[in-house]
Amino acid sequence: MSAATKAEKVREIICRLVDNLEDAIETEAVFNRANNDSALHEAYRQTPAEPVYRLVRNTLLMQLALTLVRMHDRRTRNRASLPHVFELLEDQDVMAAFSGEQTVVEAICGAREKWLEIKECETLKQLRKHRNKYFAHILMDRPDMEGPVINKVFKLLDDTKPIVAKLALGVPGRADYDLEQLRERWWMCADKFWSAAVAGMKASKDR
């Protein structure tokens, strides 16, 4: 594979990673809005809809964990992941394709440094283990996805955001997107959705 072809593959993978990160941010907003609101818990508590409410929360958490961990999966020929990107970028001829702007090179180098800090971290190892044991297979010793593990999901999201954001600077049309703006927009969408759900539950109780 030529350096030019590898560079194009890098850009393609980065675009997929950006899309995946946006999915994670959107899921985080909807989950957190549901998980951190006592009014929601109270509205659904001891109602016929409470099991569905718990199912939605658990499904959102599972989706968020899956979305994040697969971004860090080991390289295969057809897998868009951070290890795949950085392995391709080890080729100096491939890096040369991104050397038109010094800021882009610096951003890619910064992304790689951050990735090296977390690629073998305990947070990622534990979440990958949970993904394999809890989400991907039906095992007899299924672990409980609660408490500190939930916190690790959000820790991995916070660690992954700057890596992908820096890489995006190397892709035309992807350099100017605002992750915080995306998060705020989805937080408002989630607020409207769950507020409407609470209103619906209250109206149902009053009937």
Side-chain angles (χ1 to χ4, degrees):
M1 187 185 301
S2 68
T5 301
K6 288 181 180 179
E8 187 56 38
K9 191 173 188 66
V10 167
R11 294 187 181 95
E12 181 183 353
I13 293 173
I14 291 173
C15 287
R16 295 291 298 275
L17 289 171
V18 169
D19 291 341
N20 208 68
L21 180 62
E22 290 178 354
D23 288 344
I25 291 171
E26 293 160 6
T27 305
E28 176 206 26
V30 180
F31 174 83
N32 273 337
R33 179 61 179 81
N35 197 56
N36 300 336
D37 191 329
S38 59
L40 271 174
H41 299 312
E42 185 61 29
Y44 284 101
R45 188 170 65 85
Q46 296 181 347
T47 70
E50 185 177 13
V52 178
Y53 171 61
R54 290 199 305 267
L55 175 64
V56 171
R57 286 172 52 218
N58 292 341
T59 301
L60 287 168
L61 181 61
M62 179 178 69
Q63 179 61 35
L64 180 56
L66 286 170
T67 300
L68 286 170
V69 173
R70 68 189 179 198
M71 297 175 74
H72 295 270
D73 276 341
R74 295 173 180 84
R75 174 189 176 175
T76 64
R77 182 183 61 81
N78 196 37
R79 181 177 288 163
S81 66
L82 289 167
H84 196 169
V85 164
F86 290 116
E87 185 172 327
L88 290 170
L89 287 170
E90 287 178 1
D91 186 330
Q92 292 303 310
D93 291 334
V94 175
M95 272 297 293
F98 296 89
S99 62
E101 291 188 42
Q102 185 61 28
T103 54
V104 172
V105 174
E106 291 174 356
I108 290 175
C109 291
R112 186 174 186 277
E113 288 177 8
K114 179 63 178 174
W115 172 70
L116 288 172
E117 291 176 8
I118 71 169
K119 75 184 188 75
E120 299 295 340
C121 70
E122 287 303 314
T123 296
L124 181 54
K125 288 179 180 178
Q126 186 171 357
L127 288 176
R128 185 177 286 122
K129 181 179 178 181
H130 269 76
R131 188 270 306 272
N132 295 340
K133 294 186 69 175
Y134 189 91
F135 301 138
H137 308 286
I138 303 174
L139 301 180
M140 298 296 291
D141 59 340
R142 188 177 73 171
D144 188 17
M145 185 66 169
E146 291 293 342
V149 176
I150 292 178
N151 296 335
K152 291 180 186 301
V153 172
F154 297 115
K155 175 67 165 62
L156 183 60
L157 176 58
D158 288 341
D159 287 341
T160 303
K161 285 178 187 177
I163 299 174
V164 178
K166 289 177 184 295
L167 287 174
L169 293 175
V171 179
R174 293 284 188 165
D176 58 351
Y177 81 111
D178 189 327
L179 289 178
E180 191 58 35
Q181 188 178 68
L182 174 71
R183 183 181 182 279
E184 290 176 1
R185 183 169 73 249
W186 269 89
W187 187 267
M188 288 189 291
C189 290
D191 184 64
K192 290 179 180 179
F193 173 82
W194 286 114
S195 294
V198 170
M201 286 299 303
K202 289 180 178 178
S204 177
K205 287 181 179 179
D206 292 340
R207 290 193 190 115

